[in-house]
Amino acid sequence: MPDQLPVFIVRELKALEPTATGRAFASVLVIKKLAAKTASNGNTFLSVELGDRTGSFGCTVFGDSPVFETLKAAGEGGVVRVEGKVEYYQGRLSPRLARAAELAEAELSAPGVLESLVEIAPEGHEAMWQEFAVLIDALKHDALRLTVRGVFDEIGDTFRWSPAAIAMHHAYRHGLLEHTLHMARACRALLPHYPEVDPDLALAGILLHDTGKAIEYEGTLATKRSRRGILQGHVVLGYQLARKHGIKARLDADRLERLEHIILSHQGEPEWGAAVYAATPEAVFVSMIDNLDARMGMVQRALRQAGDNDEFSERLPGLSSPLLTRKITPPPITP
Amino acid sequence: MPDQLPVFIVRELKALEPTATGRAFASVLVIKKLAAKTASNGNTFLSVELGDRTGSFGCTVFGDSPVFETLKAAGEGGVVRVEGKVEYYQGRLSPRLARAAELAEAELSAPGVLESLVEIAPEGHEAMWQEFAVLIDALKHDALRLTVRGVFDEIGDTFRWSPAAIAMHHAYRHGLLEHTLHMARACRALLPHYPEVDPDLALAGILLHDTGKAIEYEGTLATKRSRRGILQGHVVLGYQLARKHGIKARLDADRLERLEHIILSHQGEPEWGAAVYAATPEAVFVSMIDNLDARMGMVQRALRQAGDNDEFSERLPGLSSPLLTRKITPPPITP
Amino acid sequence: MPDQLPVFIVRELKALEPTATGRAFASVLVIKKLAAKTASNGNTFLSVELGDRTGSFGCTVFGDSPVFETLKAAGEGGVVRVEGKVEYYQGRLSPRLARAAELAEAELSAPGVLESLVEIAPEGHEAMWQEFAVLIDALKHDALRLTVRGVFDEIGDTFRWSPAAIAMHHAYRHGLLEHTLHMARACRALLPHYPEVDPDLALAGILLHDTGKAIEYEGTLATKRSRRGILQGHVVLGYQLARKHGIKARLDADRLERLEHIILSHQGEPEWGAAVYAATPEAVFVSMIDNLDARMGMVQRALRQAGDNDEFSERLPGLSSPLLTRKITPPPITP
Amino acid sequence: MPDQLPVFIVRELKALEPTATGRAFASVLVIKKLAAKTASNGNTFLSVELGDRTGSFGCTVFGDSPVFETLKAAGEGGVVRVEGKVEYYQGRLSPRLARAAELAEAELSAPGVLESLVEIAPEGHEAMWQEFAVLIDALKHDALRLTVRGVFDEIGDTFRWSPAAIAMHHAYRHGLLEHTLHMARACRALLPHYPEVDPDLALAGILLHDTGKAIEYEGTLATKRSRRGILQGHVVLGYQLARKHGIKARLDADRLERLEHIILSHQGEPEWGAAVYAATPEAVFVSMIDNLDARMGMVQRALRQAGDNDEFSERLPGLSSPLLTRKITPPPITP
Amino acid sequence: MPDQLPVFIVRELKALEPTATGRAFASVLVIKKLAAKTASNGNTFLSVELGDRTGSFGCTVFGDSPVFETLKAAGEGGVVRVEGKVEYYQGRLSPRLARAAELAEAELSAPGVLESLVEIAPEGHEAMWQEFAVLIDALKHDALRLTVRGVFDEIGDTFRWSPAAIAMHHAYRHGLLEHTLHMARACRALLPHYPEVDPDLALAGILLHDTGKAIEYEGTLATKRSRRGILQGHVVLGYQLARKHGIKARLDADRLERLEHIILSHQGEPEWGAAVYAATPEAVFVSMIDNLDARMGMVQRALRQAGDNDEFSERLPGLSSPLLTRKITPPPITP
Amino acid sequence: MPDQLPVFIVRELKALEPTATGRAFASVLVIKKLAAKTASNGNTFLSVELGDRTGSFGCTVFGDSPVFETLKAAGEGGVVRVEGKVEYYQGRLSPRLARAAELAEAELSAPGVLESLVEIAPEGHEAMWQEFAVLIDALKHDALRLTVRGVFDEIGDTFRWSPAAIAMHHAYRHGLLEHTLHMARACRALLPHYPEVDPDLALAGILLHDTGKAIEYEGTLATKRSRRGILQGHVVLGYQLARKHGIKARLDADRLERLEHIILSHQGEPEWGAAVYAATPEAVFVSMIDNLDARMGMVQRALRQAGDNDEFSERLPGLSSPLLTRKITPPPITP
């Protein structure tokens, strides 16, 4: 496939004037949604949504299209390099695709490719993952450390790529790892000031509290809730993971119950998804740190996205307010 | 211990005039609450609440009382035959207890004893338990039947004595069995009209939906929430029971997940304790039958307690209203 | 009007490619909304929404259009056979209509016509209506039966065509009849298990509980809330109907008040529209069956609309969740 | 019955020291509650609450008491002159009653008697009732005036004595008349500033909006909700009254519907009891005046009850706050 | 700039058929939103929303456009006379602008110009402002009058042009003045009937209660919340204004505190923005009049906008209902 | 006054048996409430509540009592040494007081006196106050430091004795200082992990966020809300303090507005008392730390009050749950 075609991101494609009709282009895109449908004449066609981190557009691909088989095979979450010509249908961008090729894993990991497709946590995930491993090793209580390690041996690969949410805080690639790591850092900083909290239990609880999301969210490029996520919810899924590996690690019954309780109660209020109210010092502590870092994560993201001249961000639903993103007046320089 | 003393129930003791001070009496009573405390002079005393189904009264028992050791040994939920004299302390009934003897299991099962101590489901629990067993046997799907049987082999003994709640509907001995059985009857009656519901799955879901309460509630004569009940909640406890026995019975993954989902969602709304919203036909069906029978259970109890001449019951919190308990005008006799 | 033109349903019209511009077509459509407006130049034009059960589109019809008079005369809810050519306006389908003829009643009842225009209850309405009549006849209490019959003599014709809601459960033609009938079936199935409920009163209450909707909703092909519906609400309208016919049938005051109470309280909570909380056994019973069948109606409709390969439906607002529509794994065949 | 015994109000009886035991007294009291009960020995006794506007006390009256028959005959809401001796039972005042005689209607209307028994609206009810009649006569629209007059011909006698609530605003004798009159005054004062409101309709709506309370509340000396009040609610009862007399007065359908709508919607929000949301200019207007005068009624009552030195009242539930009852600093005298 | 081009309002521009493409037009428009953005090729362009009171449309203006500098200089809230040709982009009206000139203040005040651009209070603002001044002068208490005058000396110019809200009641030019004046009229009409309310304090409270909005809302032609509005809210801003001028006028501490309290509590409930609950007679009174006039303002606006043949308005969010705008049947003419 | 009488705390007085009637005792007590009332015979008497940190009792003191003048003079919050004899009135402890003497300031500060009267923060207030001063000095920004110092120069004396709440978290002497200090410690620990937060602004915000409570709460031994507290609320009072001293310290407008905003928004949600939603990084950060430390304060207090053998505390309203106070199983000792 020739590479010389101009490569467009979706925001640019959408910014083209109608006079661009017929213009050739190339793009690297994720298949965000794909559904095979049957027209009233019996023919099968694909209803596809293609996008990158700057936006997405829908198109209908009929059985006789040259890209039909490639898109169908790639499936939701697949990444394809497409070539086509700009067209409009019913007033919306609806390019006519002439070629499509799925990207191999190796191509995906080329510098910049992924970043162009999805929003990614600002800290490098390799470094975060190493810090994470150090945190696990630092747990002093043997069975607790084995429990945590057991869980991440099982779901760690998914965990480190998963977003922390579909639409709320830390809703981007590696967001779950980032949010959990930030909570662990906050926890360690606060522990000296809350001596009634058992350090190992609180930290283990933080590391495990959202692990159910690695099962609840499916797909890292086109995230949606999985069947297990809908039918059980991440709170119960995470509880089940901790229970399984706690028993395997012969964690004493008292600690296991307290660890499970942190996971079951971390959402704070039943209407936000908690199975029970937090009823141990560690569970109260973890749920409040979760709250704090979730809100600060929204602040951090809004600051990253703010233009230099913006005074306020858009209204952030999680804060019920726009955020003042303008920098503070620098303090006077004292000579 | 002489039997000739007049036996009083608590309501009668409380109805005595102050002129009754000094009068000897005997009563059979449950120890509803018992806490050992230390006075500022270093002496230990017991703060005890004694009662039967008609009421309760508190009394303080000092170390030199002849009943100190018996009450302490019997503990919360113990049943004692006491003898004493009517006295008043700070204007409240506060009998001076002279003798106390704990009742043996055999004495408790003598006709009428239990009924005098706690409210009991109106249907006989033996018959209900047999009907329950028949319902389990009638499950056609082998692994599902084994799953349900496994759960009741583990917790059945507690289940059949447990109330369905501490303060809301079916809040009396065998209430959990009664409520579950009534739901099963309603389910079987409705199934022909809702063919989209899988009969075996719905019925198994009903039989198991509240089994976590057999763990959440502790004590059958003096009920309170257990540690596991507070830290995990009956929804998660019941889910865990079903999961354990479903895996043991090699129930297929699809059915197990649907069965677990019925339990996780039966409370209807997250703020009422559901872990997730009902998302299968069977889960919606079971949660609505639960609702229906819970409300009708409040109606039935108010009707049982209504006097012949009462028009309305007291306000029932679960209905947000008093209930019209007066019978309907009999229809005219058509000759 | 020549019949040889290809007949399109709205979904097909919308699926056409822009290259179809100018193509001739015919369609049978309902006038969903019609408003006469005056342009700033003083000319009158019609703002019309035309549709069938697969969708709808808006168009503006000026005074010199050949279909102006026909559409104006047919009015909202009228059904017209139109011919025209495919065109697009501002990127949206906006056909140029050349001919229009209103369908006579007889044409509407031709097989398949109505089904193509509006969603219709899956059970045949003739059979449902007959079963309904049998249910009324089966009421043993004479005055109660006369009351119910009186109401349906007055509003039955509208009732049997009306949807049970504009946007929530059973929101389709005959939905009100279907929902009421399903509730009656459920009621009869449950009555043996709730002996404290008066069968005649409960059944009469169910048959009448939603009759106010036959007045609240106006138009069977293009439903909207009527003036009386907005100013009084279906609860009060239904109560008024029952009261009028109860008095006419000389129903005794006790029963009439209980019957009225079922209607006034069936919505459950004041914020959902109940005038009072349910305060009789029959009123509690009916409101819970209403709840149950409303939810199961949403389940049934989602299952009917599910594709064979779909795992979940869209999120159903009434359930706050998507529904798992995938069939259960068939049980193993036991030889 | 000798009159020379010292007459006590309840507040004084309760303020007596225990050394007063055995002291003879007389009181005029309302029977606030009366229930005939059967002791476990088969004897009947009365559980009675006696009180005046300064408080109340309970006592149990056995079959052999000299006042048993008199109290039973007088019933709830009856007013009795009692004589007895001060006694205490279980630390609470529990006088031994020796004589009781029911007061005749004439005695009740003697100056000061009623005022000592119940809280009464501060304005004289005769004058209020005359002003009320003038307001009705001032309605210009004939059929509307006849409608309003018809309603008050039916329920006026009860209306003018009824409280406007059991526990919230204007909860005292003539409170319903007072609140309605105050709303009518406010309405007439505001009408010139809201010309879009039809004066006759708004005023008729105000006069009738709460008439259902004359049926919902039963008893003027011992108020409770009647059976019709519980089963239908004052909104529907008032609507029914207006409808009946509107039809009788041949009020045109448009006005009748708007009048009914004012009543159905005046509670503002469904969760506060409105059957529908206010949807006409008059209904919005009336519901806001209702709100305003209800709140100001709470203010007026708290000011009447405030001591000269009090700064704040107790917390008023209807305002979610204590009220500052201290007078404003008088303005400086300008010479 | 030649004036002979046909002048279009936005509603007319949007009503043009696509065949109008290329047609020349002129319009007077407000710049509702204007953001300078940088394309991925480094070029700057403006994303602009232009509109009048009948609607608005967006367009993108590139650096080489003849109107680029004019629009950029005029900025948000600027009013421009534009000439251009009708074009469509992606199916939406997207005129190609050829000329633009900002209107001078004098041109803006030409008859009818402003009225065509924004919705304006129906009463003349000059007359309202004079009546307002009279109201201030009529305050008898000297320091109170000085306080109020001080506030309006500071913010009066903005106040009289400001809307009372961005999206709710009185959300149009002079709406804040109109709403405050209407409240003052209602207050004066009601004062004789609520003698417990201090007239001067209540009236001063009304005049000042919403003055913070003159700071919270920025721009009279393109209104948005200011930085101070977002960070402090109009309740605190208005409180601060009253406090500043009250201290300056040497208002006694008692009155100042009560005046501040009216402002702090006028929103009624904390979740609607009140800093505290109303706890003085005047504060309760003012908050209820605010409520009443806000609702009636919605009614008045819906009536103004209603067509002669409309029966109901659209659903009004502030009333949770459509409003019946049809006139009442005229009363019969009595000869 | 002889000192040899046995000294009782309230809990001990209440634990006495009725046989103790007539026993002489002495106690040091706070006057929690005191109201002068007039009996119907015209005599004045005091209605008094006396208590220490273990409980309280009410008594009525008539004009001829030997303690009448002393109690009246001491007033609410006064501390008195009383002598009397145990008596019961209407079944409740109602000692007959024979002597009373108010304690001088010096006597109050004798070791253990205060601790016996009110609950006191566990950390020494002198040390906390010194740490507080160091925190202020550590603020780098000059005007910010001057602002904070200015506020504490004005209200510091009250601040350091005040509770942080009447009924919720840190509701005890020095609780406000303790809670603010704990928040400051948590803030400093977290700052390195949230670099987007301005350290000086966040810390100054924390130090000042609750200073309004030093005005809202009145009396350190018998706390109640002051007039300013009820009419303005601590949020506005604290904002006013910061504004006054910020202006005095010539703090730049940007920082002052951000500082005020932290105070106005720290309660999180308007229904919890926030004037606006947090809209700056520092405001979000401070409100979340406030939340965290408030909850942990409840945990700490419940742990302090727990008996060695208790498993759970009572239900804590702020946590909606009882707290597991039992210590964690000690980890196994690894040799």
Side-chain angles (χ1 to χ4, degrees), chain E residues 31-53:
Chain E
I31 303 173
K32 297 245 173 187
K33 285 189 190 154
L34 184 148
K37 298 193 171 170
T38 304
S40 50
N41 60 5
N43 291 342
T44 303
F45 63 94
L46 304 176
S47 173
V48 187
E49 187 186 335
L50 292 163
D52 57 22
R53 67 175 290 188

Side-chain angles (χ1 to χ4, degrees), chain B residues 12 14-18 88 91-93 311-312 321-322 324 326, chain D residues 40-41 60 62 88-92 96 225-228 230-231:
Chain B
E12 291 167 347
K14 289 187 152 177
L16 289 169
E17 297 283 324
Y88 296 94
R92 285 195 303 270
L93 175 73
E311 184 150 33
F312 281 97
S321 174
L324 181 67
R326 172 86 31 104
Chain D
S40 51
N41 60 5
T60 306
F62 289 92
Y88 296 93
Y89 174 50
Q90 297 202 8
R92 286 195 303 269
R96 182 172 301 253
R225 294 179 73 206
S226 67
R227 173 169 159 157
R228 291 177 69 192
I230 294 173
L231 295 187

Side-chain angles (χ1 to χ4, degrees), chain B residues 8 10 31 48 58 65 70 96 106 122 150 163 179 186 190 222 243 247 252 256 258-259 264 269 333:
Chain B
F8 283 75
V10 174
I31 302 173
V48 187
S65 158
T70 309
R96 183 172 300 254
H179 170 50
L190 289 170
R243 179 165 182 79
I247 290 170
D252 59 281
L256 179 55
R258 290 172 190 257
L259 181 66
L264 289 173
E269 303 278 331
I333 298 147

